[in-house]
Amino acid sequence: MVKIRRAYEALALGLFLFFLLITDLRFLKGWPVSWFLEASPLVAVATALTTHTIYRNLFWGLVILGITMMLGRVWCNWMCPFGILHHLFGYIGNRRNTKQMIEVNRYRRIYAIKYYILAAMIAMAALWIVPALYNAPGKIAEAYDEAALARAAEGESVSSFSQVFGLSSWMIGLGLVSLGSYAVLRALGLFGPARLARVPVSGALLGVIVLGLGIGIVRAGVPETLSAVGDGVGRSVEASRRGNSTLQIGLLDPIALTVRSMTTSVLPSVDKATEGVYTETREYWFAWVVGLIFLGFLVANWFIPRFFCRAVCPLGALLGVFSRFSLWRIDRDPVRCTDCDLCLKSCEGASDPHTDLRKSECFVCFNCIEDCPHDALQFRFLPRKASEVTGPALNRRSLMLAGVFGVLFFPMARLSGGVKKNFDRRVIRPPGSVAEDEFLRRCIKCDQCIRVCPTNVLQPALFEAGIEGLWTPIMISKMGWCELNCTLCSQVCPTGAIREISIAEKLGVGPFEAQGPIKTGTAFYNRGRCLPWAMDVECVVCEEVCPTSPKAIFTRNVEVTDRWGGTLELKRPFIDPEKCIGCGICEHECPVKDDPAVYVTAIGETRDKERSLLLSLVEDPSLADQFMA
């Protein structure tokens, strides 16, 4: 069975590298190059929380979850390319004897860290639930009163929400607050005297809540109440999900991390040595940081085998939670077992197969079955529950604190600016990107778009978009430009952060002529550095390379007197902001290379009307009034 697993590992890693290499303008040709990203269950779960949708092929993540609930964490050791690389690096760097291997593969408490990381990231993705629940009663009351007014207009005798649910609201509110406080205190181990702890407080509080609900429903009517609750909760969720969540799982999701590292660091390094990866050399902003993180996790295997998988990986934590339901697992026969502990020698997950198996940690590698000299281990269907540790070994207080950290991190990061009022002019997103807030709820920082970009203009952001936008794609025009007839980045994005667009939509032609081309920003001139403006030197490079028709850059003939008193006729360039699409080729080709005289900023991008430069381009009159004010 181990040989079969190794064959699957080779196949999965080979397929991943194949998809990675053909994610290129020359070879793309419709291959499903984003399959591994779309198959990550963590991507599916987190994007579902932030956007309330499962985009495109993310249902593959649900398939992996289903397999996990049947067979356990087979993904981690059979299909995950990063996990397979850890296995390979651990094998290469292993210099331990059998006794040392047994000791290093015993379960450690630090392996629970990944669950706390997962809790923090899920809390950031699901933060909208808090304001949604808080605002739900008001929205329900609003929906009930609207329905009551409609019935009153038809001649029925009705009462308002406050009249019907007045007493019930107080009972339910006090019950919920008390129950929540009681639950928090018990979870933190701070609940008072032991005698009081034995009192069924939670039951009493639930009784108060149920009684309040019953009184209100009887007075209001069941159909009317259910309709108001459904409508009100829907309104509250829709109002609360905007600006109240962020997607940060891509920082440590193993597939996103691997694609990002390969794209920005590994493949350019390989190309430097072989000149066989790219047609033109690629350079990426702060690629060395990404590369050091990637190599650091791999080298860590020489000290603690599968360190990332065991202690850090949030995807592994998610699969560990679902693997508690697995129908098949490793089972030990205590009669045959001699407690030799040889099953630990090659255990990939540190899952303690020599005693009660930790289901949440087992990678289903089958090494323990092969290493057991007495055939005491088997992979069985529904073995005895008494011989397993079903759930992860977690501290409830630490888990709650991790969730609280995630809940508090988001508002602190968002309120530091960078998304709304104080957005950075350098955060120029690829064409087809959704509005910034929605972008941060969708982008998993996989940098697949950066890999496929043919001109090297897309770069991983550092902190230009705030800490939320770390490693998200931005356009740096000194590195390249946005090719006019290219939409590759929108074709490979797995989550819809860059929605799929056509060439016609990007250029604003055909059926999209009325809405015009997609603008990623607007170009401006620094006249103190522009050769015709500052130094009386003839230069029309920016006008010549401008790809729009008619050109967004035009010149005006002027006569100037040089320092010797002679007369010169120059062409001085100007920008037409209605025609400029922010492609950046003018900045890239400007002969003033260190700090180009023409530069592009994010203002004027069409993905967010609040960032429009010209009032004529603002379709919403209310927004135009805001700008005028």
Side-chain angles (χ1 to χ4, degrees):
M1 200 65 178
V2 172
K3 292 181 179 179
I4 296 175
R5 191 206 71 226
R6 288 172 180 167
Y8 270 96
E9 286 182 287
L11 177 64
L13 183 60
L15 187 63
F16 173 80
L17 294 176
F18 172 73
F19 284 159
L20 189 73
L21 290 173
I22 64 169
T23 308
D24 189 281
L25 176 64
R26 296 168 291 168
F27 312 116
L28 191 58
K29 298 179 181 178
W31 287 94
V33 294
S34 298
W35 184 85
F36 279 90
L37 290 164
E38 294 165 345
S40 170
L42 187 57
V43 174
V45 170
T47 53
L49 284 173
T50 56
T51 66
H52 299 181
T53 58
I54 297 181
Y55 183 76
R56 209 160 60 186
N57 293 324
L58 293 182
F59 72 90
W60 282 112
L62 302 181
V63 173
I64 300 299
L65 284 182
I67 295 174
T68 302
M69 294 174 70
M70 289 193 297
L71 302 175
R73 288 175 61 179
V74 292
W75 167 268
C76 299
N77 216 75
W78 291 64
M79 292 176 281
C80 177
F82 201 30
I84 296 168
L85 286 175
H86 285 297
H87 188 187
L88 179 61
F89 261 72
Y91 175 78
I92 293 173
N94 182 27
R95 296 293 183 270
R96 301 180 181 91
N97 58 34
T98 299
K99 184 177 180 181
Q100 291 171 329
M101 286 297 296
I102 290 173
E103 292 304 315
V104 82
N105 285 327
R106 295 187 188 275
Y107 181 80
R108 306 182 188 185
R109 293 179 62 184
I110 63 169
Y111 296 159
I113 293 175
K114 60 182 177 290
Y115 295 100
Y116 305 127
I117 293 173
L118 175 67
M121 290 183 170
I122 291 297
M124 284 184 266
L127 182 59
W128 56 270
I129 294 176
V130 176
L133 292 176
Y134 180 80
N135 296 322
K139 296 294 184 182
I140 292 172
E142 180 183 297
Y144 183 88
D145 287 339
E146 288 179 4
L149 287 174
R151 293 197 303 272
E154 296 175 357
E156 295 185 29
S157 177
V158 296
S159 301
S160 67
F161 184 86
S162 60
Q163 292 172 329
V164 174
F165 279 92
L167 176 61
S168 299
S169 298
W170 280 102
M171 294 176 66
I172 295 169
L174 289 174
L176 287 173
V177 171
S178 302
L179 186 62
S181 302
Y182 175 78
V184 171
L185 291 173
R186 287 298 300 272
L188 296 177
L190 301 175
F191 194 78
R195 183 179 301 174
L196 184 59
R198 289 197 294 267
V199 176
V201 178
S202 57
L205 293 174
L206 283 172
V208 171
I209 295 169
V210 171
L211 180 61
L213 283 171
I215 293 173
I217 291 173
V218 168
R219 297 182 64 186
V222 175
E224 291 81 0
T225 302
L226 292 178
S227 177
V229 168
D231 192 12
V233 170
R235 294 183 189 183
S236 181
V237 168
E238 183 60 29
S240 301
R241 75 182 186 91
R242 300 181 184 279
N244 282 309
S245 60
T246 183
L247 191 63
Q248 297 300 316
I249 55 96
L251 291 174
L252 290 173
D253 178 87
I255 312 302
L257 189 154
T258 307
V259 173
R260 177 171 67 244
S261 303
M262 290 285 186
T263 294
T264 60
S265 183
V266 177
L267 288 180
S269 299
V270 172
D271 181 72
K272 188 71 175 177
T274 64
E275 297 184 356
V277 179
Y278 306 109
T279 54
E280 295 182 9
T281 302
R282 299 297 180 90
E283 299 177 7
Y284 293 103
W285 189 239
F286 278 91
W288 65 272
V289 176
V290 180
L292 281 181
I293 294 172
F294 182 68
L295 289 177
F297 281 133
L298 291 178
V299 172
N301 291 282
W302 298 349
F303 303 95
I304 299 179
R306 301 293 290 260
F307 171 74
F308 178 86
C309 307
R310 294 179 181 181
V312 180
C313 180
L315 174 56
L318 180 69
L319 296 177
V321 171
F322 281 89
S323 66
R324 65 180 299 171
F325 305 105
S326 59
L327 304 179
W328 280 268
R329 70 164 174 82
I330 304 291
D331 185 41
R332 181 177 65 95
D333 185 348
V335 176
R336 291 188 174 187
C337 180
T338 62
D339 296 324
C340 64
D341 290 352
L342 285 175
C343 55
L344 287 171
K345 181 169 70 75
S346 302
C347 179
E348 296 291 334
S351 58
D352 288 350
H354 66 300
T355 177
D356 294 339
L357 183 83
R358 298 179 182 272
K359 288 180 70 175
S360 60
E361 307 301 325
C362 180
F363 292 172
V364 201
C365 64
F366 298 121
N367 288 340
C368 57
I369 296 178
E370 185 172 273
D371 291 337
C372 181
H374 305 291
D375 293 328
L377 296 173
Q378 292 183 357
F379 190 59
R380 291 179 177 170
F381 177 70
L382 292 178
R384 296 173 300 112
K385 287 284 185 182
S387 63
E388 69 182 28
V389 178
T390 304
L394 299 177
N395 181 287
R396 288 185 298 174
R397 182 183 301 184
S398 300
L399 189 65
M400 181 172 291
L401 289 176
V404 170
F405 170 81
V407 168
L408 294 179
F409 171 84
F410 168 73
M412 288 190 294
R414 180 60 58 89
L415 294 176
S416 63
V419 176
K420 292 293 185 182
K421 297 179 181 179
N422 191 35
F423 68 91
D424 196 310
R425 69 178 190 176
R426 295 171 295 176
V427 182
I428 306 171
R429 299 297 188 190
S433 298
V434 295
E436 187 67 10
D437 179 68
E438 181 74 8
F439 187 89
L440 294 175
R441 294 205 301 272
R442 288 184 176 271
C443 180
I444 58 172
K445 307 166 177 51
C446 65
D447 291 348
Q448 184 88 319
C449 54
I450 293 176
R451 168 77 184 101
V452 78
C453 180
T455 64
N456 204 197
V457 67
L458 290 181
Q459 300 287 320
L462 198 57
F463 296 112
E464 293 88 346
I467 193 169
E468 286 183 86
L470 182 65
W471 309 136
T472 56
I474 59 174
M475 291 169 56
I476 298 181
S477 297
K478 288 181 68 175
M479 306 293 287
W481 68 94
C482 185
E483 187 66 44
L484 197 64
N485 293 309
C486 174
T487 59
L488 290 176
C489 55
S490 76
Q491 295 176 31
V492 299
C493 180
T495 62
I498 308 173
R499 61 184 181 83
E500 191 165 354
I501 58 174
S502 63
I503 298 294
E505 182 178 1
K506 181 180 179 181
L507 301 182
V509 297
F512 303 97
E513 187 172 0
Q515 70 184 44
I518 293 176
K519 295 165 60 73
T520 58
T522 307
F524 296 88
Y525 280 103
N526 181 347
R527 294 184 178 182
R529 298 181 64 81
C530 181
L531 298 180
W533 280 98
M535 304 175 189
D536 294 341
V537 174
E538 186 74 32
C539 178
V540 290
V541 171
C542 54
E543 181 190 21
E544 289 177 346
V545 299
C546 181
T548 63
S549 180
K551 289 182 178 291
I553 296 178
F554 63 96
T555 58
R556 289 173 179 158
N557 295 330
V558 295
E559 287 189 358
V560 298
T561 302
D562 63 17
R563 62 177 298 187
W564 313 111
T567 300
L568 294 175
E569 185 171 320
L570 294 172
K571 293 182 177 181
R572 285 181 173 169
F574 293 83
I575 300 288
D576 182 348
E578 290 195 3
K579 303 299 181 184
C580 181
I581 58 174
C583 67
I585 191 171
C586 53
E587 179 177 348
H588 183 266
E589 297 297 329
C590 179
V592 186
K593 291 296 184 183
D594 60 335
D595 186 9
V598 58
Y599 58 93
V600 179
T601 78
I603 194 68
E605 58 181 1
T606 51
R607 69 185 182 126
D608 191 344
K609 293 301 181 181
E610 293 186 10
R611 298 185 181 184
S612 292
L613 178 63
L614 302 175
L615 293 180
S616 60
L617 299 180
V618 180
E619 299 173 356
D620 189 344
S622 63
L623 290 178
D625 293 340
Q626 292 177 24
F627 295 141
M628 291 297 290

